[in-house]
Amino acid sequence: MYDMKALYEAQSVEDAVRLRVEHPEAQIIAGGSDVLVQMREGRRAGKELISIYGVDALRGVTMDGEENLRIGSLTSFSHITRDPLIQKYCNVLGEAVDQVGSPQIRNIGTIGGNTCNGVTSADSASTLHAYEAIVELTGQNGVRRLPIRDFYIKAGQVDIHPDEIQTAILIPKASWENTFGHYIKYGLRNAMEIATLGCSVNVRLAADKKTIERCRIAYGVAGPVPMRCPTAEAAANGAQATRELAERFSRAVIDDINPRDSWRASKAFRQHIAVEMAKRALARAVELAGGELA
């Protein structure tokens, strides 16, 4: 049994916004893979819930007029992994969310829920940061869009106004075009495991397939929120794709990350594996882009 005060079911985005205004203390629920667990544990006992699960307009992956990939916030992890547009233009995101929980969780869990939780360990988070994703929020005053780096405020807190719901995540054409990425998750187990560290790297190679035109790297669990590594990116951008570069690139991440000690791993261990993950992810991303570390 779940101890809830009331459940309101939104029929549309507009209806969800109205319910948010009328019930400001209510919790938004989509797939429920997090909220219902927390409710059973007593952390959200007695709460009002606003279900947006029936709003089909928030599902699916499309290409908008500016050729940005648009992922509806209710799109499940399993649908993202199998979607043809994701597989063609941003396959690394599909691979990343395919490492969430179990098949049952991936069938019910949504990309919106994964990001709105605000947790740094979310498997989608580092790849979305590395692809400079844009978060779309809809409220009484219309649509608001902000870079995902600004969406995450601190551990467990994101920038959603009291009248808003998250409606989509966009990956700009400038980020996915001719870009290839790789995600590595380190955990104590191979399945049903929260990441001890997650690393996502993507590259765009020049026509010679030897020069890195553009590189992005982001981590989850390397700080209180998911984060990019500008020092490492600067080392790779415009450089020749060599093993020596991979060494410099991977060591540079230490200047940007700030992992903590926890029962899962010490700060020193996270720093150690962060370097190795960066090196391996860069090499694989270069390979996927048609190149090879010389």
Side-chain angles (χ1 to χ4, degrees), residues 11-160:
Q11 303 302 310
S12 64
V13 171
E14 295 75 18
D15 194 31
V17 171
R18 176 187 63 81
L19 287 167
R20 284 278 277 164
V21 174
E22 292 177 358
H23 306 279
E25 300 300 318
Q27 167 72 47
I28 290 286
I29 182 172
S33 56
D34 287 315
V35 172
L36 292 180
V37 171
Q38 293 166 1
M39 184 166 279
R40 287 196 72 170
E41 291 173 344
R43 285 185 281 164
R44 298 186 185 274
K47 291 282 276 185
E48 294 178 297
L49 300 180
I50 298 172
S51 173
I52 59 172
Y53 196 72
V55 185
D56 288 337
L58 298 181
R59 288 187 171 84
V61 181
T62 56
M63 190 81 78
D64 70 14
E66 298 176 349
E67 295 187 79
N68 303 311
L69 283 172
R70 178 186 173 86
I71 308 169
S73 291
L74 282 186
T75 309
S76 70
F77 301 126
S78 57
H79 278 92
I80 289 171
T81 300
R82 296 194 301 263
D83 185 84
L85 289 172
I86 295 294
Q87 291 179 347
K88 183 175 182 179
Y89 298 115
C90 192
N91 194 44
V92 60
L93 179 60
E95 293 175 348
V97 299
D98 201 40
Q99 297 186 50
V100 175
S102 65
Q104 294 92 333
I105 291 172
R106 293 192 292 272
N107 285 339
I108 196 71
T110 64
I111 192 74
N114 203 225
T115 51
C116 287
N117 267 340
V119 295
T120 184
S121 59
D123 284 303
S124 67
S126 55
T127 296
L128 291 175
H129 276 70
Y131 274 82
E132 300 167 313
I134 305 295
V135 178
E136 180 185 278
L137 302 150
T138 303
Q140 292 182 100
N141 298 319
V143 173
R144 182 169 67 103
R145 290 180 176 175
L146 70 162
I148 196 162
R149 67 174 181 273
D150 298 329
F151 182 62
Y152 284 76
I153 298 173
K154 62 181 182 180
Q157 183 179 348
V158 292
D159 184 5
I160 300 180

Side-chain angles (χ1 to χ4, degrees), residues 151-291:
F151 182 62
Y152 284 76
I153 298 173
K154 62 181 182 180
Q157 183 179 348
V158 292
D159 184 5
I160 300 180
H161 294 172
D163 65 316
E164 291 179 331
I165 64 167
Q166 188 199 102
T167 45
I169 293 174
L170 295 91
I171 299 176
K173 180 182 180 181
S175 293
W176 63 254
E177 188 173 32
N178 299 322
T179 301
F180 300 84
H182 185 58
Y183 172 71
I184 299 175
K185 174 180 180 176
Y186 183 91
L188 301 178
R189 300 180 300 185
N190 291 329
M192 293 294 290
E193 176 68 337
I194 295 172
T196 300
L197 198 71
C199 174
S200 188
V201 175
N202 64 69
V203 300
R204 180 180 300 144
L205 297 183
D208 64 6
K209 298 299 181 183
K210 297 179 180 179
T211 306
I212 298 175
E213 283 190 351
R214 176 185 185 273
C215 176
R216 299 289 185 267
I217 176 170
Y219 285 93
V221 209
V225 296
M227 59 178 61
R228 291 260 300 275
C229 294
T231 306
E233 291 175 359
N237 288 331
Q240 294 292 298
T242 64
R243 297 187 185 279
E244 187 275 332
L245 168 69
E247 292 289 343
R248 285 193 288 113
F249 169 79
S250 61
R251 290 195 300 269
V253 304
I254 297 299
D255 293 336
D256 297 314
I257 64 175
N258 185 30
R260 66 185 179 92
D261 290 310
S262 75
W263 68 268
R264 292 182 181 278
S266 68
K267 176 177 181 176
F269 180 71
R270 284 192 168 100
Q271 289 176 321
H272 172 73
I273 62 174
V275 172
E276 186 63 28
M277 291 167 82
K279 188 189 309 181
R280 295 187 186 190
L282 177 68
R284 180 57 178 157
V286 168
E287 181 182 330
L288 290 168

